[in-house]
Amino acid sequence: MSFPRRRPARIALELFDCIDQKGARASKWDLIKVVGTESQFHYWVEEFLLRDRFIEEQQESNHYFYKKTETGELLHKLLKNQRIMQALLR
């Protein structure tokens, strides 16, 4: 069974939503489930969201957790308003 391809804005929104749904911080596994694979986690979380400081990483013993930064909160609000995002992407 194939699933429709998600747009990048949709994937980012789902990652931020996941963090909110998990009580303001999500585990690495929670985010991997959103993107599908560990390589996609690396691409989306490590190479984009962490690098550009939309989220921050916290380590507790052998577990990693991720929470939104102030800039991440702003991006999340923009992603929720699809009309603004469509206008920006044009």
Side-chain angles (χ1 to χ4, degrees):
M1 178 198 286
S2 68
F3 294 97
R5 184 176 165 105
R6 295 180 293 175
R7 294 183 180 270
R10 182 75 192 159
I11 295 169
L13 177 62
E14 289 176 10
L15 287 165
F16 285 130
D17 286 345
C18 178
I19 292 170
D20 283 353
Q21 291 166 359
K22 297 295 179 177
R25 72 177 203 159
S27 70
K28 181 177 180 178
W29 177 244
D30 293 327
L31 299 180
I32 288 174
K33 288 189 290 187
V34 172
V35 293
T37 66
E38 191 145 356
S39 64
Q40 286 296 307
F41 172 86
H42 174 74
Y43 175 79
W44 277 98
V45 175
E46 295 173 352
E47 295 295 323
F48 171 52
L49 296 174
L50 279 172
R51 179 184 292 182
D52 292 329
R53 297 190 179 126
F54 293 115
I55 63 173
E56 58 186 31
E57 181 181 73
Q58 298 174 328
Q59 183 178 2
E60 292 178 13
S61 65
N62 293 336
H63 301 284
Y64 291 90
F65 295 93
Y66 301 87
K67 68 179 201 169
K68 292 186 289 184
T69 62
E70 189 175 315
T71 308
E73 285 286 350
L74 177 59
L75 178 58
H76 192 194
K77 287 178 185 177
L78 290 172
L79 289 168
K80 284 180 182 179
N81 188 328
Q82 293 177 356
R83 289 188 359 221
I84 291 174
M85 285 307 297
Q86 288 172 352
L88 290 173
L89 294 173
R90 272 188 265 146

